[in-house]
Amino acid sequence: MTGAGQPTALSDRLANGGVGAIFGTKSLASARALQERALAGSRLGIPLFFAEDVIHGHRTIFPLGIAMACSWDMGLIRETAAYAAAEAAAEGLHQVYAPMVDVTRDPRWGRVAEGPGEDPLLASRIATAMVQGFQGPGLGAMLGAGSASGLGASGHVAACLKHFVAYGAPQSGRDYDNASLSWEDLLETYLPPFAAGLEAGALSVMAAFNAVNKVPMHAHHPLIEGWLRASRAEGGQGFDGLMVSDYTGVKELTPTGLAPRNSPWPARFMPASIWIWSARITGASCPRWRTTG
């Protein structure tokens, strides 16, 4: 871009303290510039949260997910995640949208190459290895104690298990389509990699674009508030970490009737407890803090 800089919707919102997270910064310099502007506009001095797709490496590119899975080498997979985390953290990132742990058995689906393949046990092992590589040994405990200083500064980043859930099982292999699955299929095949990643301490989870049994995953109360968020005593995983949308997944609830038109705050969707979602194509995200009671 050349010429005099012009105000943009994003810059205005940063100046007014209206942005909580940014997806897609490409350098430490740009992250710092955005952070400084956001802090100046924030009444409480709350810093921005930076995230990026770091799927199979960041600046250093490693083999695709399916190729890494073929190695069956969990130590190597853990090391690639740790290396990618160090590069991402050096550029100001706090969270990476990985690992992708979608079990898939239909070669017609266009994202097979990104994932761990067809076996839930192998996918679970990979989920564990990559979460350990991205987050390191003590990041989860540090954040649990109330300190966010370890994000980025430690050379580690928050992992994000995606895409929750059954994104790799759409009808006819059509991306975003419905997945018709029994509860037994979910428990035996598609949920184990997420359970393994959570057990390893994953700090965040991303909702999937698809629907499961005709309910869009961004508003799927039984799976998000039930299996994922409910306590162990209630039959859930007890996950109380960060839940994010897949890009404009919340906005895309509007055609289904689950979100009102012309509103960034889809009231009927709120019980699904997604905390951060993308509001516009600018890459800015709206934070939504979960409330109880």
Side-chain angles (χ1 to χ4, degrees):
M1 178 181 293
T2 59
Q6 298 295 324
T8 66
L10 176 57
S11 65
D12 290 343
R13 289 163 62 196
L14 284 170
N16 294 327
V19 177
I22 296 286
F23 164 69
T25 56
K26 302 304 179 185
S27 69
L28 181 61
S30 63
R32 179 175 289 121
L34 290 166
Q35 189 72 274
E36 290 174 352
R37 185 154 193 167
L39 288 171
S42 172
R43 181 175 62 87
L44 299 176
I46 298 173
L48 288 173
F49 186 76
F50 292 102
E52 177 63 282
D53 277 318
V54 177
I55 312 302
H56 53 105
H58 186 51
R59 294 301 179 185
T60 302
I61 305 301
F62 298 108
L64 286 166
I66 193 67
M68 293 293 288
C70 289
S71 75
W72 292 80
D73 189 334
M74 298 305 116
L76 178 62
I77 291 172
R78 187 181 302 108
E79 288 179 17
T80 64
Y83 199 90
E87 290 187 337
E91 294 191 357
L93 297 177
H94 303 115
Q95 178 195 34
V96 297
Y97 295 144
M100 177 176 170
V101 292
D102 299 306
V103 173
T104 183
R105 296 172 174 177
D106 189 339
R108 296 174 296 181
W109 187 50
R111 300 186 67 172
V112 171
E114 297 177 56
E118 64 182 0
D119 183 68
L121 177 59
L122 177 58
S124 298
R125 296 286 192 269
I126 291 172
T128 298
M130 293 196 72
V131 168
Q132 292 172 343
F134 283 132
Q135 296 185 179
L139 187 55
M142 186 184 301
L143 295 180
S147 172
S149 61
L151 276 177
S154 66
H156 294 98
V157 292
C160 184
L161 301 171
K162 69 177 191 182
H163 306 83
F164 187 77
V165 59
Y167 185 48
Q171 293 175 352
S172 303
R174 292 174 296 191
D175 204 22
Y176 289 30
D177 209 343
N178 179 64
S180 294
L181 298 166
S182 69
W183 185 243
E184 289 77 11
D185 288 330
L186 287 166
L187 288 174
E188 291 177 3
T189 303
Y190 299 99
L191 288 170
F194 290 93
L198 295 174
E199 186 67 26
L203 294 169
S204 60
V205 177
M206 179 186 289
F209 273 128
N210 61 292
V212 172
N213 298 329
K214 304 301 177 69
V215 179
M217 273 310 308
H218 280 73
H220 207 301
H221 193 281
L223 283 168
I224 294 178
E225 291 294 337
W227 185 88
L228 182 64
R229 293 259 189 221
S231 68
R232 297 277 185 175
E234 297 171 312
Q237 300 298 301
F239 177 66
D240 62 356
L242 179 65
M243 185 84 183
V244 303
S245 76
D246 192 344
Y247 205 44
T248 54
V250 172
K251 181 179 179 181
E252 292 174 25
L253 290 173
T254 298
T256 70
L258 291 172
R261 295 186 180 277
N262 303 318
S263 171
W265 311 109
R268 290 179 62 191
F269 154 78
M270 288 299 190
S273 80
I274 292 177
W275 294 0
I276 293 182
W277 64 82
S278 179
R280 291 195 181 96
I281 303 176
T282 56
S285 298
C286 284
R288 177 245 166 174
W289 304 109
R290 190 182 185 206
T291 58
T292 58

